[in-house]
Amino acid sequence: MKKLYLTSPDRECSIPDFINIADMPVCISTNEYINQNLDSLSGDIPLIVSADIQTGGKGRDGRKWVPVGAGGMYISYLLNVNNNENLGLLSLAAGTAVAEAVTGISGLRVQLKWPNDIELSGLKAGGVLIENKLFSNSMLSVIGIGLNVNVDRQQFCKSISNTATSLSINSGKKISIDELMLRISEYLLYFIGIMENGLYENILKKYLFYLKHKQGDEISFHHSGEIVNGEFKKINDMGALVLKLKDGEEKAFFSGEIHTIV
Ligand code: BTN
């Protein structure tokens, strides 16, 4: 198995300075590949499975990750997150890792839509799907990241053509997927180390820098098949979205999808 060597300067945790990498030309879903081969792959942790093309990707909340063909980044990490009590924050850490890497490499202004949609100028360029599983007494996390890197507008099918963008569209240049993968891996493992040390507020602070929602924003939120309207209050220290509802109650949501901001 190939190894990707990471160079995070202030690494002070048990996280190794390399990650195993399995790359394949085509895959149905890199998350599903890991899910179905957990027995054999668990010995290779920390691991990234990457594909040049993904044909049946999964999105959050049972949605599909619509394939865009070549130029997309499709990766899934298999990591041991046993020492992390706060798995809600892992989702924010993963989005922040992508935001930091994209900003550093492309100079683009990245925003995160809660929990971890990667947006450029209000359009979606990427997303994160995390699946946690208990495997022989360890908590393993499959962290799938899809990012439209060198993707032209014509590659988007009709269902996403008005809502999607790519790094190359917004920056006007081609960007190295290998370099992005390296930087995202460095940030992600670094953040996981920070969480392992219990320094949750450091992650939250970085996350809030990229978050597009500001206190007082009116938010329309889809949760368990219902639409909830409310005012954005904060992201709490468990990574949940806290809204002030019409009746004045403040409620924390751990999952759901923000659809429109009115
Ligand atoms: C979302 O925004 O709904 C999350 C999308 C996550 C897509 C990525 S692509 C790589 C990995 N494999 C999958 O099947 N899904 C994730």
Side-chain angles (χ1 to χ4, degrees):
M1 180 132 346
K2 281 197 296 183
K3 284 187 176 8
L4 189 64
Y5 286 93
L6 310 174
T7 55
S8 296
D10 40 3
R11 172 177 303 280
E12 39 163 276
C13 56
S14 61
I15 303 283
D17 65 353
F18 72 91
I19 190 160
N20 290 309
I21 174 159
D23 46 11
M24 48 189 114
V26 184
C27 181
I28 297 173
S29 153
T30 51
N31 265 45
E32 217 30 56
Y33 179 85
I34 293 182
N35 290 338
Q36 285 170 13
N37 296 284
L38 215 45
D39 272 332
S40 58
L41 296 178
S42 59
D44 295 320
I45 292 173
L47 170 74
I48 315 180
V49 171
S50 83
D52 298 336
I53 297 211
Q54 184 177 255
T55 53
K58 303 194 299 181
R60 283 200 332 273
D61 300 325
R63 290 187 300 268
K64 289 186 171 59
W65 184 247
V66 180
V68 293
M73 190 188 82
Y74 312 96
I75 56 176
S76 295
Y77 292 85
L78 178 60
L79 301 174
N80 190 327
V81 290
N82 236 6
N83 298 329
N84 282 306
E85 295 143 26
N86 198 337
L87 289 177
L89 265 196
L90 181 61
S91 149
L92 309 191
T96 311
V98 179
E100 294 261 71
V102 171
T103 305
I105 291 175
S106 70
L108 287 166
R109 176 157 190 257
V110 179
Q111 287 195 303
L112 293 171
K113 187 175 94 165
W114 184 85
N116 47 27
D117 279 1
I118 317 298
E119 289 196 351
L120 301 171
S121 313
L123 297 174
K124 184 158 172 171
V128 180
L129 169 68
I130 302 191
E131 299 176 283
N132 295 312
K133 38 203 74 205
L134 202 57
F135 181 79
S136 58
N137 292 328
S138 288
M139 184 58 89
L140 300 185
S141 222
V142 181
I143 304 175
I145 299 173
L147 193 60
N148 302 328
V149 184
N150 300 314
V151 177
D152 296 334
R153 218 168 264 298
Q154 311 85 270
Q155 289 176 247
F156 297 132
C157 71
K158 217 171 159 211
S159 65
I160 58 168
S161 61
N162 291 328
T163 52
T165 192
S166 72
L167 273 55
S168 60
I169 292 171
N170 278 58
S171 68
K173 58 184 183 199
K174 291 252 182 291
I175 284 161
S176 159
I177 293 182
D178 285 349
E179 198 183 339
L180 267 173
M181 191 160 75
L182 174 65
R183 295 284 168 246
I184 292 171
S185 304
E186 289 178 344
Y187 279 114
L188 182 62
L189 267 64
Y190 173 58
F191 290 158
I192 288 175
I194 291 182
M195 288 172 63
E196 222 173 69
N197 293 333
L199 300 171
Y200 302 133
E201 66 279 9
N202 293 12
I203 305 281
L204 209 48
K205 203 167 144 200
K206 281 192 183 293
Y207 174 78
L208 293 177
F209 174 79
Y210 291 103
L211 187 69
K212 71 184 281 192
H213 321 297
K214 302 281 168 267
Q215 223 185 31
D217 281 357
E218 287 297 321
I219 279 181
S220 174
F221 182 67
H222 291 205
H223 177 72
S224 305
E226 285 186 19
I227 297 178
V228 180
N229 292 309
E231 183 187 309
F232 174 71
K233 292 301 287 182
K234 62 176 181 183
I235 304 297
N236 73 13
D237 51 13
M238 303 292 287
L241 172 78
V242 179
L243 294 185
K244 185 175 178 187
L245 305 181
K246 295 289 172 220
D247 61 5
E249 184 201 356
E250 281 190 18
K251 200 167 170 188
F253 295 90
F254 288 86
S255 66
E257 181 74 9
I258 295 171
H259 269 247
T260 50
I261 298 178
V262 284

